[in-house]
Amino acid sequence: MELVEEMEMIDHLIADIHAGKYKPSDKLPSENELADQYKVPRMTARKVYNRLQELGYVYSRQGMGSYVKDRLQQIPLVLTGNTSFSRKMIELGYNYESRNIYCEEVEDHSLFTQTLGVDEKDSVFKIGRLRLVDQKPIALHTSFVAESVFPDIRTEGSRITSMYDFYQEKGFTERAYEKTILSVMVPTKYERELLECAGLVPLLVLESGCRDLVAGKMLECTRTLYRSDCFTYVL
């Protein structure tokens, strides 16, 4: 019964926020006030605010209560165009950082050989970059590339913070992304820890491939996880 009450309270508060009853930065009722309003234990009210915070609707101030988060200040995510994610963030004026967190050979690369158009004996590496704004993780970009296309990837992969710039350095200046697949997933424990997000925050998953238009060869398969509470989406 308590779970039903909790979900109903969450739905009512979200509806009130969307309707404008509570505007960005407005202080919400205290836990005691919310508990009295819905005639539930204070612990239930506390859980409700915790869930709303996990969902990105609320933020708390120590000793002062819960406030409505300004969701309009979220980062606009443009899913079209050939400009790199890093360049978009910098052009928008964010305090942005791209951090290389791994360069590893993929043990089972059978899923990528056909897409990348390489031999089964070829080695495939995954290059992971964690994207941060104001030192807060907002996205994880992973690129899968073949060693036959980039012979120095074993040694160079760990320094890559932008695949866009890496391709420019290698002379692949005319590229196009193709067959983009968009989906939503619940983060794993590893992803929650890496992106510092709660389990209730869904991740937007973008999977695509990048092709060199001059030679026609596939340069990478890419998989990007975006924290849904950090972005608004421009399609």
Side-chain angles (χ1 to χ4, degrees), residues 30-44:
S30 69
E31 292 177 3
N32 285 333
E33 291 170 336
L34 192 66
D36 289 341
Q37 179 182 343
Y38 286 92
K39 299 193 171 36
V40 298
R42 180 181 176 182
M43 182 58 68
T44 300

Side-chain angles (χ1 to χ4, degrees), residues 106-119:
V106 179
E107 292 185 7
D108 181 10
H109 59 263
S110 57
L111 294 174
F112 306 102
T113 52
Q114 183 175 358
T115 306
L116 290 173
V118 296
D119 190 89

Side-chain angles (χ1 to χ4, degrees), residues 20-33:
K21 180 178 179 180
Y22 299 113
K23 295 180 171 53
S25 299
D26 278 357
K27 188 177 186 300
L28 292 163
S30 69
E31 292 177 3
N32 285 333
E33 291 170 336

Side-chain angles (χ1 to χ4, degrees), residues 156-180:
E156 295 186 338
S158 59
R159 70 170 179 82
I160 298 173
T161 56
S162 168
M163 294 303 294
Y164 182 94
D165 292 341
F166 178 69
Y167 294 146
Q168 293 288 110
E169 291 174 10
K170 298 300 179 181
F172 297 108
T173 57
E174 297 184 40
R175 305 177 304 277
Y177 285 90
E178 54 185 48
K179 196 179 178 180
T180 299

Side-chain angles (χ1 to χ4, degrees), residues 2-14 17 28-31 34-35 37-38 40-59 66 200:
E2 182 178 337
L3 181 58
V4 174
E5 292 172 341
E6 184 180 320
M7 295 307 299
E8 289 177 351
M9 292 168 66
I10 290 172
D11 289 342
H12 289 164
L13 285 167
I14 289 177
I17 292 172
L28 292 163
S30 69
E31 292 177 3
L34 192 66
Q37 179 182 343
Y38 286 92
V40 298
R42 180 181 176 182
M43 182 58 68
T44 300
R46 180 172 298 176
K47 289 180 180 178
V48 166
Y49 280 139
N50 287 340
R51 297 296 180 270
L52 287 171
Q53 189 168 342
E54 290 177 347
L55 290 168
Y57 283 93
V58 167
Y59 66 95
S66 297
L200 290 179

